[in-house]
């Protein structure tokens, strides 16, 4: 835990006057649990007693005081899932991962939790692994879900996957192509732009395959920094009109040759993006 | 310079007056070509879980590659309700509906739309008549519904405020602002006879009147309760995900009517997409001057903030919700004082459910008289139910109040999912009860359901068939409620725990008839002596199952037998004569408890079997018996 990170969360919430629960949620989403030192800091800064903070942190189920695993596996045990066999699914996860509900495997890979309803009742039993929904699950599928998670749920097989395709983009200001055939990423010409952050100025190459998040940068990969994007030809800032739906950083927009606009989040590491094929905006 | 946005000049410009709003709306309507074929892809949580995201990507690719982006529109929307058929695609303006679409089919659909054709082989097949049905509105699931709220999900992309405005969005707000009489709004809502859709059914207009009459010293609060905690109910999620602006508009009208200046939407943390879409919608409203100070240039000011819950069922109870908003433990408080006198931070507060808020713009736009024509005398309007469990057509159904349970289950729901007969429907979540099949003639309204020992609740409708054990259902709810009881009242904390233990004993075959009597007594004590709604209604699942399915309890107690084959301690798995010796079950068994030669009937070793159900799940020949 870093003190300044927690302080910046506290500061953010001071501005928007949201309560303790939102503060704790943001801390938890940063560290996957609520570190004791963070709670102490929250108590100090908000002027509330540590007992109060601890009370709130233990009252609500979504908070964890223990570090959680790399993957969070939530098995829905709502009524609709229950009558369709969710208890068997939950038991099978417990057996295969060899942990009880709300526990983490010793190798810190998986945390298993039972949740009361995820609101996707029509297609239950539901399992959510790191935000990916699995529907109509039966017990023989449990093993496959665990295997898939270990292999990486986000990894689309770029070459075979028909959902992935190339976007030919250009600068919204000078209309000059941003494609760079001299350097391939994922086997296709990359998109080259100029980025700057904290006084440093350099190139960034993005995969032109829609659905791939491969990037290369002059500075190496810096996650969680918001960068300003510029056209390498006319040097105009590629500023989008909206904020990232995931992290609220400004979006960067580029024209798609075949029609429309693609927007990506300016925060490195964030996967927020929008492909708007008729270009009507919001 | 390339044109980035059609509306770049006015993009997200603040609307300084009602006239500016009208001008924007007229221009949007003028630019919209309703004859242009549009592919509508529902992408709520259910649809995305079923693969809608892949369809969206492929559609974009096909439209781009074929240069069709000018000729064919694409709209990504929230849930349309027919979750069973997801991922599905709707074509406008023809109304053609394609269920269970995959990537390959999607490519063909784009092609067909471009050529103005219909793909007969991909249409919905009605299972009772084996007839193919092209149009969505002719499908039995949709035909009997009155989709006042849900149909609007089809028309808008939830992250595009222009879609909402183009479809008469914020017109009700404008009507109210132009009229300039807050009192009239309250009277209109009262006249509509709208009752709270969250469960208790308190008349909304009356609640607003109480709030409006409070002195406005330090401000008042309006809350949208989106802590949809009832397991098996998800209509609020679908409305928030699919049409967040309708909630915002409802709250703005409420704020104007009651003199409140601050709104809070309390959303449970388990609904990430609802939170995301609402955040985007709030931001758009701020930018366009539909929220904040001097809305549309008038002297009306109102703001809304979003508060996330953190996984506590009791926070759906209004006094607990208030504490949670204040950043405290969500323990209920004694009433009175009622929230409408002393709510958030001690200020007068009115709390309404998501679906209630979504009805407000409809009432104002149509007029109370028109609105109250739908439904029954004591229960006006429509109600959305989540029809789930052991039923063929699962999904969200919106029906006029007063429709019978039978019509929902048989006509809309399409009846049982397998050979097993439907025996009960559970309504009202953990606070509700089970209604047996022989009472399915019951009309659905607040009062009839209460008389039958259940409640309307927020709208979960979980269908149970012969393979559902009612003792197990009661045990399930007691287990749920003992975990969710906040612990403040002794009778709730300990009483539910004891009820759970007794029901658990029954499920293990260790119960006695005396204990059943004790269970009933205990249930009544908990009901009478707890403070908040959670405790007072907690015994309902036990009382209603005892009332209608006592024979199942007795069967567990006397014969140590679970008729539905659910209670693990009382069942054994075996393989019957249907077995073809395909060995699929052998591979699925985690304990290697199944033996037999290939192409010969197999058997299960009872000592080794852990009753995980894997063999039954994979068997294609119904050869695994549970008894």
């Amino acid at each position: 835990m870093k003190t300044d990170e927690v302080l910046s969360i506290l500061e953010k919430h001071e501005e928007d006057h949201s309560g303790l629960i939102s503060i704790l949620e943001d801390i938890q989403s940063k560290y996957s649990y609520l570190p004791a030192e963070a709670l102490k800091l929250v108590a100090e800064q908000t002027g509330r007693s540590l007992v109060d903070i601890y009370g709130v942190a233990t009252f609500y189920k979504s908070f964890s005081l223990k570090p959680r695993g790399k993957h969070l596996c939530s098995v829905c045990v709502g009524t609709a899932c229950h009558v369709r066999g969710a208890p068997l699914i939950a038991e099978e996860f417990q057996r295969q991962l060899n942990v009880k509900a709300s526990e983490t495997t010793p190798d810190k890979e998986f945390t298993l939790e039972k949740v009361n309803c995820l609101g996707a009742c029509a297609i239950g039993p539901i399992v959510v692994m790191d935000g990916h929904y699995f529907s109509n699950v039966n017990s023989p599928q449990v093993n496959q879900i665990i295997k898939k998670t270990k292999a990486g749920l986000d990894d689309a097989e770029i070459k075979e996957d028909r959902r992935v395709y190339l976007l030919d983009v250009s600068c919204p200001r000078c209309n000059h192509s941003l494609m760079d055939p001299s350097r391939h990423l994922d086997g296709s010409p990359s998109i080259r732009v100029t980025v700057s952050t904290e006084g440093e100025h350099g190139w960034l190459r993005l995969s032109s395959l829609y659905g791939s998040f491969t990037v290369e940068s002059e500075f190496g990969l810096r996650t969680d920094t918001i960068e300003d994007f510029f056209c390498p030809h006319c040097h105009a800032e590629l500023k989008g009109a909206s904020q990232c739906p995931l992290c609220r950083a400004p979006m960067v927009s580029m024209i798609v040759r075949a029609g429309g606009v693609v927007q990506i989040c300016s925060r490195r590491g964030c996967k927020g993006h929008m492909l708007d094929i008729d270009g009507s905006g919001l | 310079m390339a044109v980035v946005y059609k509306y770049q000049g006015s993009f997200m410009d603040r609307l300084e007056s009602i006239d500016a709003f009208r001008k924007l709306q007229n221009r949007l309507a003028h630019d919209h070509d309703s004859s242009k074929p549009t592919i509508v892809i529902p992408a709520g949580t259910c649809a995305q879980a079923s693969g809608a995201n892949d369809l969206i990507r492929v559609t974009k690719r096909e439209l781009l590659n074929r240069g069709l982006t000018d000729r064919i529109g694409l709209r990504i929307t929230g849930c349309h309700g027919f979750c069973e058929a997801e991922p599905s695609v709707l074509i406008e303006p023809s109304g053609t509906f394609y269920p269970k679409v995959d990537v390959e089919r999607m490519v063909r659909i784009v092609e067909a739309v471009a050529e103005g054709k219909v793909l007969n082989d991909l249409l919905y097949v009605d299972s009772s008549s084996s007839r193919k049905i092209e149009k969505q509105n002719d499908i039995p699931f949709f035909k009997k519904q009155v989709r006042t709220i849900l149909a609007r999900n089809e028309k808008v992309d939830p992250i595009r405020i222009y879609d909402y405005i183009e479809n008469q969005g914020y017109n009700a707000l404008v009507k109210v602002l132009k009229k300039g009489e807050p009192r009239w709004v309250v009277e209109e809502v009262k006249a509509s006879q709208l009752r709270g859709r969250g469960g208790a059914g308190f008349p909304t207009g009356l609640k607003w009147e109480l709030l409006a009459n409070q002195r406005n010293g330090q401000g008042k609060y309006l809350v949208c309760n989106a802590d949809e905690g009832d397991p098996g109910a998800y209509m609020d999620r679908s409305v928030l995900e699919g049409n967040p602006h309708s909630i915002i508009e409802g709250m703005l009208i409420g704020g104007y009517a009651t003199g409140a200046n601050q709104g809070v939407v309390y959303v449970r943390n388990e609904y990430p997409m609802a939170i995301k879409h609402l955040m985007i919608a709030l931001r758009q409203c701020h930018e366009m001057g539909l929220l904040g100070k001097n809305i549309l240039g008038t002297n009306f000011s109102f703001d809304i903030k979003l508060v996330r819950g953190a996984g506590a069922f009791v926070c759906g109870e209004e006094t607990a919700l208030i504490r949670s908003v204040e950043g405290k433990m969500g323990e209920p408080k004694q009433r009175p004082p009622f929230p409408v006198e002393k709510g958030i931070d001690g200020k007068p507060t009115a709390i309404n459910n998501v679906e209630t808020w979504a009805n407000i713009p409809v009432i104002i736009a149509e007029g109370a008289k028109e609105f109250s024509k739908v439904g029954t005398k004591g229960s006006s309007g429509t109600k959305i139910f989540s029809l789930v469990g052991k039923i063929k057509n699962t999904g969200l159904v919106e029906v006029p109040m007063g429709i019978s349970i039978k019509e929902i289950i048989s006509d809309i729901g399409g009846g049982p999912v397998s050979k097993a007969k439907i025996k009960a429907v559970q309504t009202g979540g953990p606070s509700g009860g089970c209604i047996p099949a022989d009472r399915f003639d019951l009309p659905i309204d607040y009062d009839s359901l209460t008389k039958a020992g259940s409640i309307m609740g927020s709208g979960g409708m979980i269908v149970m068939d012969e393979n559902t054990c009612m003792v197990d259902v009661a045990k399930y709810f007691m287990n749920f409620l003992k975990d969710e009881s906040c612990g403040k009242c002794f009778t709730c904390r300990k009483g539910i725990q004891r009820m759970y233990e007794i029901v658990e004993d029954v499920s293990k075959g260790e119960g006695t008839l005396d204990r059943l009597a004790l269970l009933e007594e205990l249930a009544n004590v908990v009901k009478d002596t707890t403070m908040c709604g959670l405790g007072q209604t907690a015994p309902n699942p036990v009382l209603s199952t005892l009332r209608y399915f006592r024979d199942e309890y007795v069967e567990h107690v006397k014969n140590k037998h679970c008729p539905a084959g659910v209670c693990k301690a009382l069942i054994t798995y075996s393989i019957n004569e249907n077995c073809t010796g395909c060995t699929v079950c052998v591979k699925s068994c985690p304990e290697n408890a199944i033996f037999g030669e290939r192409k010969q009937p197999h058997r299960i070793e009872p000592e080794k079997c852990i009753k995980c159900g894997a063999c039954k799940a994979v068997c294609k020949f119904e050869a695994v018996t549970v008894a």
Side-chain angles (χ1 to χ4, degrees):
Chain A
M1 191 208 87
K2 288 184 197 144
T3 308
D4 54 330
E5 284 174 352
V6 177
L7 286 177
S8 85
I9 289 173
L10 281 159
E11 203 175 312
K12 185 183 117 200
H13 285 285
E14 196 154 6
E15 277 164 27
D16 58 19
H17 300 287
S18 46
L20 178 61
I21 294 170
S22 305
I23 295 173
L24 297 183
E25 263 160 4
D26 282 1
I27 295 175
Q28 173 146 314
S29 70
K30 191 141 205 115
Y31 304 110
S32 91
Y33 77 112
L34 299 173
E37 307 89 83
L39 294 184
K40 280 180 200 155
L41 203 57
V42 172
E44 249 169 54
Q45 296 291 321
T46 58
R48 291 173 66 168
S49 74
L50 189 55
V51 176
D52 254 13
I53 312 281
Y54 181 79
V56 170
T58 49
F59 182 88
Y60 295 97
K61 274 200 183 144
S62 60
F63 295 130
S64 169
L65 296 177
K66 279 187 275 176
R68 293 205 273 191
K70 204 164 113 195
H71 306 291
L72 178 63
C73 174
S74 312
V75 182
C76 180
V77 290
T79 323
C81 289
H82 180 88
V83 300
R84 285 192 178 195
L88 296 177
I89 310 298
E91 273 172 42
E92 192 58 18
F93 269 107
Q94 292 181 11
R95 224 179 47 79
Q96 298 223 5
L97 296 173
N98 201 17
V99 287
K100 290 199 190 88
S102 335
E103 285 182 358
T104 302
T105 53
D107 60 2
K108 297 272 184 289
E109 279 292 305
F110 289 91
T111 297
L112 180 66
E113 64 170 20
K114 285 196 212 173
V115 286
N116 278 332
C117 183
L118 293 164
C121 315
I123 49 175
I126 287 280
V127 172
V128 178
M129 188 71 98
D130 299 340
H132 293 255
Y133 286 72
F134 293 88
S135 58
N136 293 306
V137 178
N138 62 27
S139 39
Q141 282 168 11
V142 168
N143 190 16
Q144 295 162 22
I145 294 175
I146 295 172
K147 267 193 196 156
K148 251 190 207 162
T149 309
K150 282 182 178 161
L153 291 162
D154 279 326
D155 289 357
E157 281 147 35
I158 303 293
K159 274 192 191 139
E160 287 109 71
D161 202 323
R162 293 192 61 185
R163 297 168 299 176
V164 174
Y165 48 98
L166 187 139
L167 288 181
D168 187 339
V169 296
S170 58
C171 167
R173 177 123 178 268
C174 68
N175 219 0
H176 204 292
S177 174
L178 297 172
M179 306 304 283
D180 183 0
S182 70
R183 173 80 184 119
H184 280 53
L185 282 178
D186 294 329
S188 308
S190 61
I191 297 167
R192 187 168 66 97
V193 291
T194 315
V195 291
S196 85
T197 180
E198 289 160 12
E200 282 186 302
H201 216 64
W203 55 261
L204 178 82
R205 285 193 175 88
L206 309 154
S207 170
S208 59
L209 296 184
Y210 188 65
S212 162
F213 298 98
T214 313
V215 286
E216 260 183 17
S217 163
E218 197 170 336
F219 312 120
L221 201 62
R222 292 188 295 203
T223 53
D224 211 23
T225 41
I226 297 174
E227 291 169 332
D228 297 323
F229 283 58
F230 299 92
C231 169
H233 310 287
C234 72
H235 309 291
E237 189 171 359
L238 305 170
K239 218 173 187 165
S242 54
Q243 287 175 310
C244 172
L246 301 179
C247 76
R248 306 183 80 167
M251 295 291 268
V252 173
S253 73
M254 292 171 273
I255 298 282
V256 179
R257 285 266 176 209
V261 177
V262 63
Q263 296 192 60
I264 60 164
C265 180
S266 60
R267 190 192 302 271
R268 290 299 90 226
C270 175
K271 288 180 176 171
H273 64 276
M274 270 155 89
L275 172 58
D276 188 358
I277 56 169
D278 67 352
S280 63
L282 295 179
Chain B
M1 181 185 156
V3 179
V4 182
Y5 293 108
K6 276 193 222 156
Y7 300 108
Q8 194 164 36
S10 66
F11 187 63
M12 285 298 164
D13 270 353
R14 208 182 148 82
L15 299 169
E16 298 290 357
S17 66
I18 290 176
D19 281 346
F21 171 84
R22 284 270 183 249
K23 254 167 96 179
L24 172 68
Q25 194 172 45
N26 288 338
R27 198 173 44 175
L28 290 170
H30 180 261
D31 289 354
H32 181 79
D33 176 7
S34 56
S35 63
K36 177 175 167 180
T38 300
I39 298 172
V40 185
I41 304 181
T45 300
C46 287
Q48 291 201 1
S50 310
N53 281 336
D54 292 348
L55 301 188
I56 296 168
R57 282 197 172 181
V58 168
T59 307
K60 285 179 178 173
R61 182 193 68 197
E62 290 302 305
L63 293 177
L64 286 174
N65 288 355
R66 292 162 193 257
L68 293 168
T69 52
D70 290 337
R71 276 182 48 213
I72 299 177
L74 169 67
R75 193 186 318 128
I76 319 296
T77 70
C79 174
H80 297 186
F82 200 2
C83 307
E84 181 69 24
E86 299 293 7
S88 65
V89 172
L90 175 69
I91 310 299
E92 283 180 359
S94 67
T96 310
F97 178 80
Y98 296 107
K100 298 264 176 205
V101 180
D102 60 18
V103 172
E104 271 70 38
R105 288 177 174 192
M106 192 67 235
V107 175
R108 291 184 53 207
I109 291 171
V110 175
E111 231 171 58
V113 172
E115 293 165 5
K117 286 183 188 156
V118 172
L119 296 168
N120 274 313
D121 59 321
L122 300 188
L123 292 179
Y124 177 81
V125 181
D126 178 38
S127 58
S128 59
S129 62
S130 308
R131 197 164 50 94
K132 278 190 177 154
I133 302 176
E134 184 202 330
K135 311 242 187 253
Q136 168 170 302
N137 291 340
D138 295 334
I139 294 170
F141 178 82
F142 291 102
K143 223 173 174 177
K144 266 217 163 164
Q145 296 189 45
V146 178
R147 299 169 73 231
T148 313
I149 305 292
L150 279 180
R152 300 199 300 173
N153 276 10
E154 285 168 20
K155 296 289 168 208
V156 297
D157 183 332
I159 62 169
R160 290 172 195 243
I161 188 171
Y162 285 1
D163 270 14
Y164 186 70
I165 293 175
E166 189 190 314
N167 285 283
Q168 315 305 314
Y170 292 108
N171 273 6
L173 172 70
V174 166
K175 185 174 174 181
V176 163
L177 290 176
K178 274 204 149 166
K179 194 141 191 150
E181 293 170 47
R183 193 71 229 168
W184 172 80
V185 184
V186 174
E187 288 307 324
E188 197 69 3
V189 175
K190 267 170 81 181
S192 74
Q193 295 177 18
L194 175 71
R195 291 172 70 172
R197 297 294 193 248
F202 192 82
T204 307
L206 201 58
K207 197 183 266 184
W208 285 21
E209 189 170 44
L210 290 170
L211 185 70
N213 290 341
Q214 294 289 321
R215 268 195 291 160
N216 197 352
Q218 318 89 30
K220 304 175 191 175
Y221 277 101
L222 281 182
V223 178
C224 170
N225 183 350
D227 190 53
E228 189 175 39
D230 283 3
Y234 63 102
M235 46 269 134
D236 293 351
R237 169 179 70 72
S238 128
V239 173
L240 267 184
E241 277 178 10
N243 200 353
H245 284 290
S246 68
I247 307 299
I248 297 174
E249 187 177 5
M251 292 183 79
L252 280 164
I253 294 167
Y256 188 77
T258 60
N261 46 17
Q262 180 65 53
V264 172
V265 184
Y266 186 88
V267 194
R268 65 197 291 254
N269 211 23
E270 288 84 345
Y271 288 175
M273 196 191 291
I275 292 171
K276 179 173 137 190
H277 287 180
L278 187 66
M279 266 169 55
I280 293 171
L282 289 174
R283 206 152 64 213
Q284 291 168 341
C285 286
H286 277 125
E287 280 172 25
M288 293 187 71
L290 285 158
L291 272 179
K293 287 221 166 74
N294 301 103
I295 289 162
L296 294 180
T298 65
N299 52 19
F300 170 52
S301 300
F302 189 78
D303 213 339
I304 297 179
K305 73 171 180 180
L306 185 146
V307 177
R308 284 177 290 170
F313 174 70
V314 73
C315 287
E317 200 277 341
E318 57 180 16
T319 59
L321 183 147
I322 287 169
R323 290 193 147 202
S324 186
V325 172
E326 291 168 348
K328 300 176 186 149
M329 286 192 275
E331 282 179 344
K333 273 200 293 201
Q334 192 76 45
R335 296 182 302 183
F338 287 94
V340 77
E341 297 155 357
K342 269 188 169 178
I344 298 171
D345 297 333
K347 294 171 191 170
T349 302
I351 302 174
N352 287 128
N353 157 274
V354 173
E355 204 184 328
T356 315
W357 287 118
N359 271 295
I360 299 295
V362 179
I363 292 171
I364 299 300
E366 284 181 358
K369 228 176 162 182
E370 203 53 40
F371 179 87
S372 57
K373 277 184 190 161
V374 178
T376 65
K377 202 156 175 278
S379 308
S380 68
T382 60
K383 174 82 192 88
I384 309 176
F385 289 95
S386 65
L387 188 59
V388 295
K390 305 288 192 69
I391 185 137
K392 196 176 280 162
N393 300 332
T394 56
L396 291 178
V397 300
E398 185 175 350
V399 289
M401 294 275 193
I403 193 173
S404 71
I405 298 177
K406 197 178 188 170
E407 282 170 280
I408 295 186
I409 304 263
S410 319
D411 301 348
I412 298 174
V417 71
S418 64
K419 280 180 213 154
K421 265 194 225 142
I422 291 173
K423 73 176 173 194
V425 57
Q426 205 276 346
T427 68
S431 311
C434 296
I435 296 166
D438 57 22
R439 301 205 58 182
F440 279 3
D441 293 337
L442 209 68
I444 292 182
D445 58 65
Y446 292 96
D447 309 316
S448 323
L449 287 178
T450 309
K451 264 185 227 151
S454 184
I455 58 167
M456 173 83 90
S458 58
M461 201 171 255
I462 298 136
V463 181
M464 301 174 169
D465 66 10
E466 289 167 334
N467 296 326
T468 314
C469 170
M470 300 317 270
V471 175
D472 180 68
V473 169
K475 184 173 93 172
Y476 166 80
F477 280 119
M478 288 308 108
N479 183 38
F480 177 93
L481 289 160
K482 83 173 166 48
D483 287 348
E484 295 293 351
S485 168
C486 80
K488 189 166 179 170
C489 302
F490 172 79
T491 39
C492 179
R493 184 176 73 241
K494 284 292 166 197
I496 296 173
Q497 172 71 31
R498 281 296 293 141
M499 278 159 65
Y500 170 73
E501 287 165 13
I502 295 173
V503 179
E504 195 191 20
D505 282 349
V506 174
S507 78
K508 285 183 184 161
E510 293 165 7
T512 63
L513 291 178
D514 291 352
R515 287 289 210 65
L516 287 187
L518 178 66
L519 179 65
E520 216 158 3
E521 193 188 334
L522 194 54
N524 284 313
V525 170
V526 173
K527 196 175 183 172
D528 293 340
T529 57
T530 49
M531 190 181 74
C532 84
L534 187 146
Q536 286 158 11
T537 55
N540 279 353
V542 165
L543 287 173
S544 73
T545 46
L546 273 172
R547 175 170 163 190
Y548 296 118
F549 299 96
R550 201 178 193 97
D551 50 333
E552 282 193 34
Y553 280 86
V554 173
E555 184 70 10
H556 281 72
V557 170
K558 275 193 169 163
N559 301 330
K560 319 275 176 232
H561 172 228
C562 176
V566 172
C567 294
K568 263 195 165 180
L570 305 178
I571 54 169
T572 48
Y573 279 77
S574 58
I575 294 177
N576 62 34
E577 66 285 351
N578 287 345
C579 180
T580 61
C582 72
T583 74
V584 167
C585 60
V586 178
K587 285 171 208 134
S588 80
C589 181
E591 293 294 308
N592 301 321
I594 304 176
F595 299 93
E597 293 292 314
R598 210 181 160 76
K599 295 193 176 169
Q600 296 295 317
H602 282 51
R603 65 183 175 80
I604 297 175
E605 189 70 61
E607 276 78 48
K608 281 189 150 183
C609 176
I610 55 165
K611 300 170 188 172
C612 72
C615 49
K616 194 172 161 67
V618 294
C619 182
K620 292 188 184 78
F621 307 99
E622 292 178 33
V624 180
T625 313
V626 185

